[in-house]
Amino acid sequence: MAEQIPRRVAGQRHGPTGGSEENVPRWLRTSAGTTWRLLVLLVGVGVVFYATSQVKLLFIAVFIGLVLTAVLRPLVDFYAKVMPRALATALGLLSGFLVFSGLIFYVAYSVANQWSALSKQFGEGIDQIVDFLEDGPLPFTITNDQIGEWIDTGRQWIQDHAGDIAGQAASQAGSVVEVFTAMALALFCAIFFLAKGKDMWTWFLNQLPSRVRRTWLTAGGAGWYTFSGYTRGTVIIAVTDGILAAVLLTIVGVPLAAPLAVLVMIGAFIPLIGAPAAMVVAMIVALAANGPIQAAIVGLGIAAIGQFEGHVLQPLVMGKQVSLHPVVVALAVTAGTLSAGILGAVIAVPLVSVVWAVYSRLHTPDPPMADEEVEGSAAPVTERDDQESEPDPA
């Protein structure tokens, strides 16, 4: 009788099964799945940032154009009630230009009108500061000879590095051209956004498949509502801060109150760090021109303005349009500053606000947990549940 050869059954496993999926702990499978998804997401974000950095000028121009559109659109809509849209757009842009030019002219006039008196006061204030450092109650003293030595050291450093400084200044000439190019492109975009923005958005939606148009319409509406609300709210808050700072500096008697108030207004566009930086500059001018008491009054007054902004203006003007936690704002500003300097600090918060608004509009959250459940989650480590430790029989 011939020896019977055993047949191989299809799908039969041979050898050890140590590499099977069932032998991998569930926590490791879950962590690995989450990790590779996060890696893919980070790669996608990195590609977006890299692509943006390659067309930085274009991105800046479009961003400024959207800012101008958000600020001027209510005015253009008001003009459009009594005149054609094109004429309303031109009149709205002209109104914005006149306001901006008038502000710059007023600041320049104030500086030129008070420059001679300020120079004398500033010199006297510097002398008072030097006397305070030499004979004041500080635990250390700084003599006039030391200050002169520091000045001579700085002058010598400038002479030794004059070539490098000149080369850097020459290399920045191209940046000036880029700034004017970006502003011209931003103005060009703002004109069409204000005049034909709805038509452009409708055309874009019609190019998409019909099954995704509703999603894009919802996301775009939420994003623009948040961005325009944040932009207009920031302008209102900045102007209010500037007016309050001008009143404060005028009452205290600080010279160049108008330019310093404008500096405070500009600083309000940079969350967290802009207003304190402007406050320091105003305090230095008050210290040099009027003395330490006025400088302290200026510091306390601008700090009070900051509290008024944070607790009254922000909730009243912004409302629910921008609902970001202060920790998120701080992280966004820091990340923007590290990646793109002052420009990154300015655009970080509106971008994060838009992303969060779109996500919140499209995302359907699960029912929230009760506070009692969260408070009761802190407990010592115990043995795992039997259902979690036993393998799935399937």
Side-chain angles (χ1 to χ4, degrees):
M1 184 177 181
E3 183 179 358
Q4 185 177 2
I5 300 176
R7 293 184 303 170
R8 177 177 296 179
V9 179
Q12 182 180 1
R13 294 182 177 180
H14 294 275
T17 60
S20 62
E21 186 73 15
E22 290 78 6
N23 291 337
V24 179
R26 186 169 64 177
W27 67 267
L28 183 57
R29 296 198 305 268
T30 304
S31 301
T34 304
T35 301
W36 75 258
R37 289 179 174 86
L38 288 176
L39 289 176
V40 172
L41 179 62
L42 291 176
V43 170
V45 173
V47 170
V48 172
F49 272 95
Y50 176 77
T52 303
S53 65
Q54 300 303 307
V55 290
K56 184 185 300 184
L57 179 64
L58 179 62
F59 176 79
I60 295 174
V62 174
F63 180 83
I64 297 176
L66 291 174
V67 170
L68 295 176
T69 304
V71 173
L72 297 177
R73 185 175 178 180
L75 183 61
V76 173
D77 290 341
F78 176 76
Y79 289 154
K81 295 179 181 179
V82 294
M83 62 183 67
R85 185 76 183 183
L87 183 58
T89 300
L91 186 58
L93 291 172
L94 180 60
S95 300
F97 175 77
L98 291 178
V99 172
F100 180 77
S101 301
L103 184 63
I104 297 299
F105 174 79
Y106 180 70
V107 171
Y109 175 78
S110 300
V111 173
N113 191 34
Q114 303 182 33
W115 184 254
S116 59
L118 177 63
S119 300
K120 182 179 179 180
Q121 291 180 344
F122 198 81
E124 294 175 355
I126 293 296
D127 293 336
Q128 293 178 4
I129 294 174
V130 172
D131 295 338
F132 178 78
L133 293 176
E134 289 182 346
D135 304 326
L138 298 177
F140 58 89
T141 58
I142 299 177
T143 63
N144 197 14
D145 295 335
Q146 289 176 326
I147 297 176
E149 183 180 354
W150 294 340
I151 294 175
D152 293 337
T153 302
R155 185 185 299 112
Q156 185 63 37
W157 183 89
I158 293 175
Q159 293 176 357
D160 295 339
H161 297 80
D164 297 337
I165 295 175
Q168 292 179 1
S171 63
Q172 295 299 321
S175 300
V176 176
V177 176
E178 291 181 357
V179 169
F180 282 101
T181 304
M183 293 304 299
L185 183 58
L187 181 61
F188 182 78
C189 292
I191 292 174
F192 283 94
F193 291 161
L194 290 170
K196 298 291 183 180
K198 294 181 179 179
D199 297 337
M200 296 170 65
W201 177 239
T202 303
W203 176 88
F204 173 77
L205 292 176
N206 289 332
Q207 308 310 308
L208 301 175
S210 58
R211 64 180 182 276
V212 300
R213 290 176 183 173
R214 180 58 56 181
T215 301
W216 277 87
L217 181 61
T218 302
W224 177 248
Y225 175 81
T226 300
F227 181 83
S228 59
Y230 176 85
T231 304
R232 289 194 293 266
T234 302
V235 172
I236 295 174
I237 292 173
V239 172
T240 305
D241 287 349
I243 294 174
L244 294 177
V247 173
L248 171 67
L249 297 175
T250 302
I251 293 175
V252 176
V254 178
L256 294 181
L260 291 174
V262 173
L263 183 62
V264 172
M265 182 181 67
I266 295 174
F269 287 93
I270 306 176
L272 299 182
I273 60 177
M279 178 186 67
V280 171
V281 175
M283 289 179 62
I284 292 175
V285 174
L287 177 64
N290 295 11
I293 297 179
Q294 284 80 359
I297 294 175
V298 170
L300 293 175
I302 298 183
I305 292 175
Q307 294 297 318
F308 176 74
E309 173 192 339
H311 294 86
V312 178
L313 289 180
Q314 288 281 356
L316 181 64
V317 176
M318 296 294 187
K320 296 182 179 180
Q321 293 174 335
V322 181
S323 56
L324 293 180
H325 194 277
V327 174
V328 178
V329 175
L331 294 177
V333 172
T334 303
T337 304
L338 293 176
S339 59
I342 297 298
L343 179 64
V346 173
I347 68 176
V349 176
L351 289 182
V352 173
S353 301
V354 169
V355 171
W356 177 250
V358 173
Y359 172 78
S360 301
R361 189 65 178 271
L362 299 179
H363 174 65
T364 303
D366 294 330
M369 298 178 63
D371 294 336
E372 294 76 9
E373 295 178 311
V374 177
E375 293 177 357
S377 62
V381 178
T382 58
E383 295 183 359
R384 295 177 301 174
D385 192 357
D386 294 336
Q387 294 180 354
E388 295 183 359
S389 60
E390 293 179 358
D392 190 358

